[in-house]
Amino acid sequence: MIRSLRKGHSSIYIQHPSTGHSIGAKEYESEIAEDKAILRLTLSPVDSNQRSDEEHFHSDQLVSVSIDDSSVIKGFGEHVTSHKQKFSSWQLEVISRGKKFYFSVEPELEEHGNHGQLNLHVIPSNG
């Protein structure tokens, strides 16, 4: 079951081992597939600086992705909790330049007053 979280544009923060970048993203979706919770988005750089930053996404190891869009966070949380099941895995799918990238992640919700941030920490693969 796929649920659209946001059709419009907002920014995410992508963290690599030695640098981080804020990049536009769109088409946020949540999907529940058996016992896996998936958050999907498409990178959508808004200027030449962000297009240059997108190069790092393709060439550097991904450490984490942070989302502070309240509509995305709320929608993802509601979709996940509505299934009343324990998920064995969490996945981030990022579409960039027509390619799909898959990352196993551990989600962490930080709340700062009435502002939240969803951090998706990439789980390093073995091999």
Side-chain angles (χ1 to χ4, degrees):
M1 173 191 279
I2 297 175
R3 179 179 188 181
S4 177
L5 302 175
R6 180 181 185 89
K7 293 190 187 318
H9 195 274
S10 71
S11 292
I12 61 171
Y13 187 79
I14 296 176
Q15 182 66 53
H16 301 286
S18 60
T19 188
H21 307 280
S22 184
I23 297 179
K26 62 182 182 179
E27 299 171 1
Y28 294 84
E29 295 178 331
S30 175
E31 181 176 0
I32 306 301
E34 297 176 17
D35 61 347
K36 182 188 303 183
I38 302 165
L39 180 63
R40 182 180 303 113
L41 57 90
T42 300
L43 294 184
S44 181
V46 297
D47 57 25
S48 60
N49 184 43
Q50 287 190 6
R51 282 188 288 281
S52 175
D53 293 342
E54 188 177 19
E55 286 292 324
H56 289 280
F57 179 79
H58 286 261
S59 62
D60 296 352
Q61 175 187 353
L62 184 64
V63 173
S64 66
V65 170
S66 298
I67 300 168
D68 65 0
D69 183 292
S70 60
S71 297
V72 172
I73 295 170
K74 182 179 179 199
F76 186 57
E78 287 174 353
H79 191 213
V80 168
T81 57
S82 71
H83 283 78
K84 298 186 182 3
Q85 69 188 62
K86 181 127 174 103
F87 296 102
S88 66
S89 63
W90 299 77
Q91 184 172 297
L92 172 65
E93 291 183 13
V94 179
I95 301 166
S96 175
R97 299 181 182 164
K99 296 180 182 177
K100 270 191 179 182
F101 298 86
Y102 303 91
F103 304 94
S104 293
V105 295
E106 289 183 11
E108 172 195 27
L109 181 61
E110 288 184 20
E111 294 189 38
H112 309 281
N114 56 358
H115 175 76
Q117 179 171 301
L118 177 60
N119 299 312
L120 302 169
H121 303 282
V122 175
I123 301 169
S125 62
N126 296 333

